[in-house]
Amino acid sequence: MTRAGRPYRRRKNITVVSLLLLVLSLMLGSSPGATAGTDWWTPTARPAPDAQVNVTGEPFKGTDAAGDVRGFVDTHNHVFSNEAFGGRLICGKPFSEQGVGDALKDCSEHYPDGSLAVFDFLTKGGDGKHDPVGWPTFKDWPANDSLTHQQNYYAWLERAWRGGQRVLVNDLVTNGVICSVYFFKDRGCDEMTSIRLQAKLSYDMQAFIDKMYGGPGKGWFRIVTDSAMARQVVQQGRLAVVLGVETSEPFGCKQVLDVPQCSKEDIDKGLDELYGLGVRSMFMCHKFDNALCGVRFDSGTLGTAINVGQFLSTGTFWKTGQCPGREQDNPIGNAAAAEAEKKLPDGVSVPSYSADAQCNVRGLTDLGEYAVRGMMKRNMMLELDHMSVKAAGRVLDIFESASYPGVISSHSWMDSNWTDRVYGVGGFTAQYMNGSKSFVEQAGRTKALRDKYGVGYGYGTDMNGVGGWPAPRGADAPDKVTYPFKSVDGGSVIDRQTAGQRTWDFNTDGGAQYGMVPDWIEDIRRVGGQSTVNDLFKGAESYLDTWGASEAYRPGADLARGAPASASSSEWNPITSYQPGRAVDGDRGTRWASDWSDDQSLTVDLGGTRSVGRVTLDWERAYGRSYRIDLSTDGVNWRTAWSTTAGDGGLDTARFDPAPARYVRVQGLKRGTEWGYSLSEVGVRSG
C-alpha cells in the first residue's frame, strides 16, 4: 500500500507465526484485559525497595482513527552495555534479582572517591572523582555528563513507556579494542560473545518484569521479532523492544593491514546466528574501518583517540580524500589525545589531515556488499549511521536499485543530505537526543521532507552509549518544564521522578537517566512548540512501516539475467573475456568492456516482449558520463525511455513509466574516463 508519496509500504502484514503467538498470549492471559483488576499497568509484586515511576493514569493503547499505532520510538539505546567492553566500563545493571541496591551500585574500583574512574576522567574531564554510592543517595550519578554509570534501570525505562514511548531499539553493543586497552575487565573481549550475552539478558529482563505482573507474557517489556508482533504489543499499550547490533567487528570481520579476517561463509553464519537471537537491525561498521566498510570519523580529541584505536586494531590509520559530492564525513581535525597516543609503538604517530580532504577513502568492500545483500535476503534493516559517505552512498545505490526499504538512520550519524534518499526508498530517520533547542532546530531542517513523504520522526537516546545527554537549562530558564504535566496523549500525569533519596527535575538535572525521556519531550514542546512533538508521536507508526515493508520485500525477477546480449564492440584481451554476455551473467566479478570511444552500446534481448520500467547499471571504473536507455519491441524501431548527462559511475538506477520492450539498449554518448564503457552487471525489471 502506497501512502503520501512514500513507496514500498506494506501495512499490518500479520504472519502465521504472529497469529499463533497472539492466540497463545490470549490463552495464557497475557493481554492487558486479562490481567486481574482494572489497573493492568500496575505490577502485583514490584520489588521493595525500588525506584518510583511517578506517572499516574492508564497507558494509552489501540490505534488512531486512521488505524495507525501511536507513540514515540527510540531507535538507538544500549540497555546492556554494562556487559560490553570487558564488563567494567559502564557501572551498574538495568535490573537485578537481588534488588535495586545490587543493580545500581558503582564499579568496585571507583570506591572510595572515584579516583580510578579512568574512563569517566577521559570523557568528562576533571579528575574523575565522584561519590560512588548509587542507591539510595545518587549524589553524583546518574548525570547527563557522567558516561560511565547505568542510565537504563528498568524502572526508568518503565517511566519512559508510561510517558508515551511504544518502541525501543535495544542495540547490543561492544568494541573489542576498547575492551583490550581498558584497565579493568572481568571477561574476554570477543565481540560476538558479548553480543550473545546481551541478547540473553534482554530476554532475562523480560522474564524479570513478567514475574512482577503475574507470569510469562504479562509484563510491559515485550521483545518482538516481526512488525506484526510489534503492532500487537503497541496496540495493547505496551513497549515493543527490537534487538539490534552495533559493533566494530561483526562476525569477526576486522581487517589487518587491509586484509580481511573473515569470509562470506563467516558472514552467512553470523547473520543466521544474529537472526536466530532475534536481531532485526544492525550496523556493519562502527568507529573503526573493518573488512566490510569504512567509517564516518569522529572529530577532535575523541577522533584522535579512536584513530589510535583504529591503528591498534587494523595496523592502519584513517585515510582521507576529497569528497565526491556535497555529503561529507565528520572532520577529523588534528587535536592531540596524549593518553591515547601513548599506546602507539615507538616511532609511530597519528598523521595530520588536510581540512579540504574530509572523506574516508574506504567505502563498501566486496565483502560488505555481500553482507548488505545478505541482510536483504533475511529482510533485516541496515543502520546507515557510522558508515563513511562512500560506503553509505553505495548502500543507498543498492537499495534504490532493488527498491529495498530497510534502511535506518537512528542517531544523527548520517550526513543529513542523504535524508531524501532514505525516505525515498521507504526508510526511517531519527535524531540524537540533543538539548531541546538544538533538537527542534535540527528537526526543522528536515520537516519539509517528512511532510513530503508523510512520515513521523524518532529520537535515538544512545543511553549508556558514552555520548553525553541534554544538560539542564536551569531552574529559572524560560519556558521550563513545570510539574506535574500531562503526557502527549493527555491520559497520564507525570511528576518528578524519585529513586531512593534522590528526586530528578529536568530543569536542574537534564537528561540524567532514561526516566527523563518524557520530561525531555515536554521540554521540547515548551521550547519549540507542538509540531515537533506531533511528528515524534507518529514515529512508532513510521518505524513499523519501514520494518513491515522490509519483511514484505521480495526481489523482482531480473529479466536480463542470462539473456542474450550483443554490443557495438568489446575490448580484446588474451587472458580475460570482456564480451557482452559478461554483463548479464549475475557475477559482479566479470564485466563487459567496450572499445575506447564515445559512441558504444550494449543490447539485451529479453526473448519476448515484456513490461520494462527499471534498468540498473553497475559500472566498473570506466563509466558513462552521458548515456541513455532505449527500448524496442522489434530491434529496429527504438524509443528513448531515460537519459542522463551527469553520470558519475557506481550503481545507477534508471526508473521510467513501464513500457513494452523485447530489446533494451544502453547507448553510450560520452565517456566519463579515458577508457571505454565497462559494466559489471546490467539488470532489467518490470518496475
Side-chain angles (χ1 to χ4, degrees):
M1 181 175 180
T2 302
R3 302 176 62 227
R6 187 159 161 83
Y8 322 123
R9 288 309 198 198
R10 300 293 187 271
R11 293 294 308 279
K12 304 171 181 64
N13 50 316
I14 307 291
T15 65
V16 173
V17 172
S18 298
L19 286 171
L20 287 173
L21 286 170
L22 178 59
V23 171
L24 285 172
S25 69
L26 290 172
M27 291 172 62
L28 292 170
S30 62
S31 67
T35 306
T38 57
D39 294 351
W40 60 267
W41 59 92
T42 302
T44 58
R46 186 185 295 279
D50 203 2
Q52 299 176 36
V53 176
N54 303 105
V55 179
T56 57
E58 180 176 1
F60 61 87
K61 52 186 175 181
T63 57
D64 64 16
D68 294 336
V69 300
R70 301 170 294 161
F72 306 117
V73 54
D74 180 357
T75 53
H76 195 101
N77 190 15
H78 303 295
V79 178
F80 287 98
S81 65
N82 57 293
E83 303 293 349
F85 318 113
R88 302 281 281 277
L89 192 68
I90 306 294
C91 305
K93 295 178 282 192
F95 80 100
S96 172
E97 295 286 354
Q98 284 70 53
V100 64
D102 180 65
L104 296 179
K105 64 181 180 182
D106 214 338
C107 293
S108 58
E109 60 272 11
H110 288 198
Y111 287 86
D113 62 357
S115 297
L116 293 182
V118 179
F119 199 74
D120 207 61
F121 161 72
L122 291 174
T123 56
K124 186 177 179 179
D127 56 10
K129 291 185 177 182
H130 63 272
D131 182 352
V133 177
W135 176 270
T137 55
F138 297 113
K139 178 181 177 183
D140 287 340
W141 67 268
N144 73 287
D145 57 353
S146 174
L147 310 188
T148 65
H149 294 96
Q150 182 61 244
Q151 297 172 297
N152 280 315
Y153 186 58
Y154 90 91
W156 300 337
L157 298 178
E158 182 179 356
R159 178 179 164 90
W161 158 62
R162 293 284 301 276
Q165 186 169 305
R166 289 297 177 267
V167 178
L168 168 66
V169 180
N170 175 23
D171 282 318
L172 317 176
V173 64
T174 192
N175 183 294
V177 174
I178 292 175
C179 172
S180 66
V181 301
Y182 190 57
F183 302 99
F184 305 105
K185 60 180 76 68
D186 54 22
R187 65 199 66 178
C189 295
D190 179 72
E191 293 192 353
M192 288 302 293
T193 298
S194 180
I195 295 302
R196 294 182 192 107
L197 173 62
Q198 292 176 53
K200 174 187 179 298
L201 289 171
S202 298
Y203 288 97
D204 288 349
M205 188 159 93
Q206 177 177 263
F208 172 79
I209 294 171
D210 279 352
K211 193 160 50 176
M212 295 182 207
Y213 288 79
K218 294 188 176 182
W220 52 269
F221 184 96
R222 312 307 313 153
I223 297 173
V224 295
T225 54
D226 64 54
S227 63
M229 188 188 307
R231 285 187 180 279
Q232 293 162 11
V233 167
V234 176
Q235 287 166 4
Q236 293 171 347
R238 299 189 286 178
L239 180 69
V241 180
V242 185
L243 298 186
V245 164
E246 183 183 40
T247 190
S248 293
E249 298 167 6
F251 333 124
C253 280
K254 68 182 300 179
Q255 52 101 7
V256 177
L257 297 176
D258 295 319
V259 177
Q261 305 297 299
C262 67
S263 65
K264 291 180 178 179
E265 291 75 18
D266 295 325
I267 292 169
D268 282 328
K269 181 180 177 182
L271 284 173
D272 286 342
E273 180 183 7
L274 290 178
Y275 195 90
L277 291 172
V279 172
R280 295 297 180 266
S281 72
M282 69 172 292
F283 294 77
M284 284 180 41
C285 48
H286 178 239
K287 298 305 182 184
F288 307 138
D289 295 340
N290 61 24
L292 306 177
C293 49
V295 293
R296 195 165 191 238
F297 310 126
D298 282 84
S299 300
T301 299
L302 180 61
T304 300
I306 292 175
N307 202 5
V308 170
Q310 156 97 5
F311 180 85
L312 297 175
S313 175
T314 69
T316 60
F317 291 105
W318 289 327
K319 298 173 185 173
T320 65
Q322 297 287 333
C323 297
R326 59 178 183 167
E327 295 81 18
Q328 296 184 335
D329 291 323
N330 294 322
I332 301 173
N334 297 298
E339 291 301 316
E341 291 177 84
K342 291 177 183 177
K343 299 286 185 181
L344 293 171
D346 291 342
V348 176
S349 59
V350 178
S352 60
Y353 293 93
S354 172
D356 63 352
Q358 192 170 309
C359 281
N360 194 337
V361 300
R362 191 175 185 86
L364 191 68
T365 68
D366 289 341
L367 281 174
E369 183 153 336
Y370 184 83
V372 169
R373 297 186 185 278
M375 291 183 68
M376 293 168 65
K377 287 179 182 177
R378 293 163 179 83
N379 303 100
M380 298 172 72
M381 294 179 286
L382 185 145
E383 293 268 8
L384 205 64
D385 289 3
H386 289 297
M387 277 188 169
S388 68
V389 160
K390 189 174 181 181
R394 179 67 180 182
V395 167
L396 288 172
D397 286 345
I398 293 170
F399 282 12
E400 287 168 344
S401 72
S403 298
Y404 187 73
V407 59
I408 304 288
S409 174
S410 63
H411 66 325
S412 302
W413 267 87
M414 172 193 78
D415 189 300
S416 62
N417 290 311
W418 294 126
T419 305
D420 198 355
R421 292 182 68 184
V422 170
Y423 286 153
V425 297
F428 183 79
T429 71
Q431 186 189 146
Y432 190 85
M433 187 185 178
N434 297 313
S436 302
K437 186 174 185 295
S438 175
F439 190 93
V440 170
E441 289 173 351
Q442 291 184 44
R445 294 172 197 153
T446 52
K447 172 65 175 172
L449 286 174
R450 291 197 297 280
D451 291 345
K452 171 185 174 182
Y453 289 101
V455 296
Y457 202 35
Y459 50 81
T461 61
D462 203 14
M463 289 280 181
N464 286 2
V466 198
W469 297 275
R473 293 198 297 121
D476 298 322
D479 300 313
K480 68 178 184 178
V481 174
T482 58
Y483 293 91
F485 59 89
K486 285 190 175 182
S487 59
V488 174
D489 69 296
S492 296
V493 176
I494 302 169
D495 209 340
R496 293 175 178 83
Q497 197 267 324
T498 296
Q501 300 168 20
R502 177 75 184 271
T503 296
W504 282 273
D505 182 318
F506 190 82
N507 302 300
T508 54
D509 295 307
Q513 37 92 344
Y514 206 83
M516 295 292 99
V517 168
D519 312 57
W520 170 69
I521 292 172
E522 173 66 5
D523 200 49
I524 288 174
R525 187 187 70 82
R526 297 186 70 91
V527 168
Q530 191 67 35
S531 176
T532 301
V533 175
N534 289 343
D535 280 0
L536 289 172
F537 201 61
K538 296 187 294 185
E541 172 63 33
S542 292
Y543 177 86
L544 295 179
D545 265 349
T546 291
W547 190 6
S550 303
E551 293 168 323
Y553 171 79
R554 300 294 181 270
D558 183 356
L559 305 177
R561 179 70 60 86
S566 58
S568 57
S569 67
S570 296
E571 181 182 336
W572 182 83
N573 186 296
I575 300 174
T576 302
S577 170
Y578 295 130
Q579 293 300 305
R582 293 303 185 100
V584 291
D585 61 1
D587 183 355
R588 288 191 62 250
T590 63
R591 59 189 174 94
W592 164 70
S594 75
D595 287 346
W596 295 11
S597 59
D598 283 332
D599 190 17
Q600 301 290 339
S601 65
L602 174 76
T603 302
V604 180
D605 179 357
L606 303 181
T609 300
R610 310 292 293 272
S611 176
V612 175
R614 176 162 44 112
V615 176
T616 57
L617 307 175
D618 199 351
W619 297 98
E620 194 254 351
R621 285 179 297 173
Y623 65 93
R625 175 73 68 191
S626 177
Y627 65 92
R628 67 175 189 254
I629 306 296
D630 296 333
L631 305 178
S632 174
T633 56
D634 58 10
V636 177
N637 300 292
W638 295 86
R639 59 177 289 269
T640 297
W642 186 90
S643 65
T644 183
T645 59
D648 58 359
L651 181 56
D652 289 344
T653 300
R655 296 182 186 276
F656 43 86
D657 291 336
R662 172 172 176 170
Y663 302 94
V664 177
R665 181 173 69 192
V666 182
Q667 180 64 57
L669 304 173
K670 184 175 180 59
R671 294 166 292 157
T673 68
E674 61 184 305
W675 305 295
Y677 302 93
S678 184
L679 284 163
S680 298
E681 281 296 306
V682 174
V684 177
R685 290 176 173 81
S686 60

